[in-house]
Amino acid sequence: MLKKSFFASLLLFVFVMKSVVHKLLFLIILFIPSILIGQGIHTHGTDFWVSFMPVPFNNDVWGVEHDDLALFITGKDSCSGMITNPNTGWHHSFHVAPDSMSRIAVPVNQFLPNQLNTPLQKGLHIVSDDTIAVWSGMTFNGRGHTGNFGLTNVLPTEVLGCNYVIQSVRSAYAPYELHEGYGNFARSLAILATMDSTNVHVYLRCATQSGYHPGDTIDIWLDSGEVFLEYSVVPTAQS
């Protein structure tokens, strides 16, 4: 079981309350250089939860055109499985041939989170009858650049945890972002609950685009498959 995940330049702390059972979260972080420390971490399994995160430019949350969402599934042996959204009923079966990869397109209008600071029914549950590895990917266009592609390795449910620390500061890529005309990327946080009645506390050390300030606490309840999305205010050169 993953106990803690640590990320460089720590400015946000996320804590998940525990009741009768542990409430597990899948924390998705894009464009943030990070170091993951833990015990028993692996990327293969038979049960996964995943969501996608839109790419923000500056303080414009929806300043990028997202053209494509997809899941990439590989397996050493022949296997089959199902991808479902427990809240909407959407589902898609898949089959993976031995030592190969299957690509499953995911509808952008259904599963790309499009609101901040509110539970969204955008999470996907992946179950297979044999061991697989899963990646989530998206293509997006913005600021005159087309065909950008991002890929994230999805962790299996069994290694997810209840305590996370993530960074929200100006990234090592800031000079490149400014040179290329992007300004600065907002720092992104998405939380996906894998169980009903998951109580999440986010202890902020930075301002967010929903109006929260450093020192505030976001207290939210999520059910299985619900996603919470938040962006930091674009950091300044002094951040």
Side-chain angles (χ1 to χ4, degrees), residues 101-151:
M101 175 180 287
S102 291
R103 180 187 183 278
I104 297 93
V106 176
V108 175
N109 61 344
Q110 291 189 50
F111 296 113
L112 186 71
N114 56 1
Q115 290 179 274
L116 299 180
N117 194 38
T118 189
L120 303 170
Q121 297 180 340
K122 304 289 187 178
L124 294 173
H125 190 201
I126 305 168
V127 177
S128 69
D129 59 12
D130 206 338
T131 302
I132 57 174
V134 180
W135 288 263
S136 62
M138 67 168 67
T139 58
F140 54 93
N141 303 315
R143 301 286 180 171
H145 293 258
T146 61
N148 299 287
F149 182 77
L151 193 66

Side-chain angles (χ1 to χ4, degrees), residues 12-232:
L12 286 178
F13 181 67
V14 181
F15 177 70
V16 187
M17 295 296 292
K18 295 177 284 186
S19 54
V20 179
V21 294
H22 289 271
K23 309 302 184 182
L24 303 179
L25 296 181
F26 177 49
L27 187 65
I28 308 166
I29 305 163
L30 293 180
F31 304 112
I32 301 177
S34 60
I35 301 173
L36 181 65
I37 303 173
Q39 296 179 349
I41 299 174
H42 56 269
T43 58
H44 56 275
T46 59
D47 192 286
F48 299 80
W49 285 89
V50 64
S51 185
F52 297 86
M53 182 185 293
V55 180
F57 283 107
N58 297 313
N59 283 318
D60 181 3
V61 178
W62 317 118
V64 178
E65 179 183 352
H66 298 81
D67 290 334
D68 179 77
L69 303 179
L71 296 172
F72 301 86
I73 302 176
T74 65
K76 180 180 179 181
D77 301 312
S78 176
C79 62
S80 298
M82 184 69 69
I83 306 167
T84 60
N85 181 307
N87 297 294
T88 67
W90 184 90
H91 62 277
H92 192 290
S93 61
F94 65 87
H95 176 77
V96 179
D99 295 318
S100 64
M101 175 180 287
S102 291
R103 180 187 183 278
I104 297 93
V106 176
V108 175
N109 61 344
Q110 291 189 50
F111 296 113
L112 186 71
N114 56 1
Q115 290 179 274
L116 299 180
N117 194 38
T118 189
L120 303 170
Q121 297 180 340
K122 304 289 187 178
L124 294 173
H125 190 201
I126 305 168
V127 177
S128 69
D129 59 12
D130 206 338
T131 302
I132 57 174
V134 180
W135 288 263
S136 62
M138 67 168 67
T139 58
F140 54 93
N141 303 315
R143 301 286 180 171
H145 293 258
T146 61
N148 299 287
F149 182 77
L151 193 66
T152 301
N153 201 174
V154 181
L155 296 178
T157 306
E158 64 192 69
V159 303
L160 302 182
C162 296
N163 297 274
Y164 294 87
V165 181
I166 71 168
Q167 78 166 20
S168 62
V169 297
R170 186 176 167 87
S171 78
Y173 298 102
Y176 170 79
E177 294 168 7
L178 291 171
H179 175 72
E180 292 296 313
Y182 291 113
N184 288 308
F185 285 113
R187 305 308 171 221
S188 309
L189 166 70
I191 302 170
L192 168 58
T194 68
M195 303 183 71
D196 288 340
S197 301
T198 299
N199 188 204
V200 186
H201 298 291
V202 183
Y203 301 99
L204 295 171
R205 296 185 184 177
C206 65
T208 76
Q209 294 187 22
S210 295
Y212 292 100
H213 299 92
D216 289 348
T217 298
I218 303 176
D219 183 37
I220 53 175
W221 287 89
L222 298 173
D223 284 331
S224 176
E226 289 189 332
V227 179
F228 177 86
L229 179 69
E230 185 59 278
Y231 292 146
S232 69

